[in-house]
């Protein structure tokens, strides 16, 4: 079959122009770049340094070159997790969210054959977040949102987030859940465990909260996209199922066994190993696995499209993972 279109649904961006706009509107963000080697930078946001940030993280022309090298045709642009800024004043985060969403919409307009876009929201202020989601979808043409796996320690089934879910459900929005402020950080400080274990762990907590908190049952049109292969969720789903049957606690808000609710999730492909990715496809079907790279970070991969093309599955399934569900969901088709 012809080489299928590849749509990378997990790719972050914060251009230099966006950084400058953020600094002007919200000086506390304090975004600054320092080159540490050729085309590799340390990026400081709100006083916290992050390294390494490759040039493609903030330079669109470099990004387009990297996409071509990676055999990726399109990216779904989302903000960088460093700019969630949930632990800052809600008014400031509302402003920084609006700036980033306007900028992402601008990138899509400038490069319509290369980019889709999703919004970031001031989730610590759910009413403002719901309003910004409505604006981002209705006025900017963005396809949904990226939110953290918890909001300042509050799990995603907290009732205060209902206004956001209501707007997202109304639009059948795409919702990427990305780890942030991970649990157990005091035990994960060595060996980069905060990312190696912390990120998939917090994704798993988010998934469990959405399932057992009944969020998915109440808002069935939202398309929840769980990154990093869904954390530990797909591989411990049987344990959740067993627990629901033998314990009363998991049944508090979820009145049916969790297996089918878990199957409503969409998972990205960032597992860094063919056996695990093959299991994900075999267990949940190609229609619930969507290409992701975590561009431009070092725990992502430039090989995402080639990894899917190398999977021992049929060509139809490969095309579905590479672009089929992405095109359907991002077009707003239920």
């Amino acid at each position: 079959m012809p080489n299928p279109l590849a749509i990378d649904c997990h790719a972050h961006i914060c251009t230099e122009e966006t950084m400058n706009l953020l600094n002007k509107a919200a000086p506390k963000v304090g975004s600054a770049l320092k080159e540490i080697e050729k085309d590799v930078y340390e990026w400081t946001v709100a006083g916290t340094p992050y390294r390494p940030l490759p040039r493609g993280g903030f330079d669109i022309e470099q990004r387009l070159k990297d996409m071509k090298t990676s055999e990726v045709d399109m990216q779904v642009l989302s903000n960088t997790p460093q700019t969630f800024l949930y632990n800052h004043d809600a008014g400031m985060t509302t402003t920084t969210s609006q700036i980033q969403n306007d900028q992402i919409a601008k990138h899509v307009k400038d490069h319509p054959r290369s980019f889709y876009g999703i919004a970031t929201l001031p989730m610590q202020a759910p009413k403002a977040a719901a309003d910004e989601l409505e604006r981002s979808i209705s006025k900017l043409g963005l396809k949904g949102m990226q939110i953290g796996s918890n909001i300042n320690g509050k799990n995603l089934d907290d009732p205060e987030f209902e206004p956001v879910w209501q707007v997202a459900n109304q639009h059948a929005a795409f919702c990427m859940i990305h780890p942030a402020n991970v649990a157990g950080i005091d035990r994960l400080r060595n060996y980069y465990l905060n990312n190696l274990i912390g990120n998939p762990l917090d994704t798993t907590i988010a998934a469990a909260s959405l399932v057992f908190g009944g969020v998915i049952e109440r808002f069935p049109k939202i398309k929840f996209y769980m990154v990093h292969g869904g954390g530990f969720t797909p591989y411990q789903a049987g344990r959740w199922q067993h627990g629901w049957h033998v314990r009363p606690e998991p049944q508090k808000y979820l009145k049916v066994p969790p297996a089918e609710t878990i199957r409503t999730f969409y998972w990205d492909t960032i597992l860094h190993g063919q056996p695990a990715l093959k299991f994900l496809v075999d267990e949940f079907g190609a229609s619930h696995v969507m290409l992701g790279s975590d561009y431009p970070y070092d725990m992502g991969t430039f090989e995402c499209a080639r990894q899917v093309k190398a999977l021992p599955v049929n060509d139809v399934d490969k095309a579905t993972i590479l672009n089929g569900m992405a095109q359907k969901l991002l077009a707003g088709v239920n």
Side-chain angles (χ1 to χ4, degrees):
M1 63 183 298
N3 197 30
L5 187 75
I7 302 175
D8 175 3
C9 297
H10 180 180
H12 306 290
I13 192 167
C14 188
T15 64
E16 281 192 280
E17 180 182 36
T18 303
M19 294 178 194
N20 291 335
L21 291 170
L22 291 174
N23 285 344
K24 182 177 180 180
K28 287 184 179 180
V29 172
S31 179
L33 290 169
K34 180 175 71 174
E35 191 168 24
I36 54 178
E37 57 183 274
K38 182 175 172 55
D39 290 335
V40 179
Y41 295 76
E42 178 182 87
W43 182 34
T44 300
V45 182
T48 301
Y50 172 83
R51 64 163 65 188
L53 181 72
R55 174 173 287 277
F58 58 85
D59 184 318
I60 286 183
E61 292 308 313
Q62 182 62 52
R63 176 178 296 258
L64 293 171
K65 291 176 184 176
D66 289 345
M67 289 167 61
K68 185 174 182 180
T69 300
S70 299
E71 300 179 14
V72 167
D73 300 286
M74 300 187 72
Q75 287 182 342
V76 180
L77 299 179
S78 57
N79 73 298
T80 54
Q82 290 89 347
T83 58
F84 280 146
L85 303 175
Y86 297 149
N87 61 338
H88 289 263
D89 173 75
M92 188 194 83
T93 306
T94 300
T95 297
T96 59
S97 296
Q98 291 169 346
I99 289 170
Q100 292 184 90
N101 296 338
D102 288 345
Q103 286 291 102
I104 287 174
K106 178 177 178 289
H107 304 328
V108 173
K109 183 178 179 181
D110 290 344
H111 303 275
R113 294 185 178 181
S114 298
F115 301 137
Y116 290 108
I118 55 177
T120 185
L121 307 173
M123 288 294 292
Q124 71 270 48
K127 177 58 168 64
D131 290 344
E132 179 57 17
L133 179 59
E134 180 63 49
R135 183 186 81 94
S136 295
I137 293 174
S138 299
K139 296 186 177 180
L140 299 182
L142 301 185
K143 301 299 183 179
M145 72 278 208
Q146 176 191 217
I147 65 171
S149 51
N150 68 88
I151 313 301
N152 297 329
K154 293 182 179 179
N155 285 334
L156 297 182
D157 61 327
D158 192 296
E160 75 173 57
F161 303 127
E162 296 282 301
V164 179
W165 303 138
Q166 289 169 3
V167 173
N169 195 65
Q170 177 184 342
H171 290 283
F174 182 81
C175 179
M176 184 165 87
I177 307 295
H178 198 284
N181 183 36
V182 300
I185 191 64
D186 58 319
R187 296 180 61 201
L188 301 174
R189 298 192 187 281
N190 295 329
Y191 321 120
Y192 204 46
L193 295 185
N194 63 301
N195 194 313
L196 302 184
I197 294 174
N199 277 8
L201 170 62
D202 226 74
T203 294
T204 305
I205 296 171
S209 299
L210 293 169
V211 171
F212 291 111
V215 176
I216 293 170
E217 305 300 314
R218 294 194 301 278
F219 303 102
K221 293 183 179 180
I222 303 172
K223 309 304 189 297
F224 287 104
Y225 180 53
M226 312 306 288
V227 300
H228 311 139
F232 310 126
T233 305
Y235 322 98
Q236 292 292 331
R239 186 176 182 85
W240 295 12
Q241 182 80 352
H242 177 80
W244 186 92
H245 282 288
V246 301
R247 297 291 305 186
E249 297 93 336
Q251 300 179 23
K252 182 175 181 180
Y253 299 112
L254 186 67
K255 302 308 179 185
V256 296
E260 290 309 309
T261 305
I262 293 169
R263 288 188 176 277
T264 67
F265 284 126
Y266 297 87
W267 322 98
D268 84 3
T269 58
I270 305 172
L271 286 162
H272 301 293
Q274 188 179 94
L277 182 55
K278 179 64 162 49
F279 167 82
L280 198 64
V281 176
D282 288 346
E283 181 67 18
F284 294 93
S287 63
H288 278 260
V289 181
M290 299 168 65
L291 187 67
S293 71
D294 206 358
Y295 183 94
Y297 298 117
D298 56 1
M299 283 302 293
T301 177
F302 278 65
E303 298 299 314
C304 61
R306 285 185 283 271
Q307 288 169 349
V308 171
K309 293 172 185 177
L311 273 177
V313 299
N314 64 57
D315 287 344
V316 173
D317 282 352
K318 290 178 184 179
T320 298
I321 297 166
L322 288 169
N323 70 66
M325 287 308 295
Q327 292 196 76
K328 181 178 180 180
L329 295 185
L330 295 170
V333 178
N334 291 313

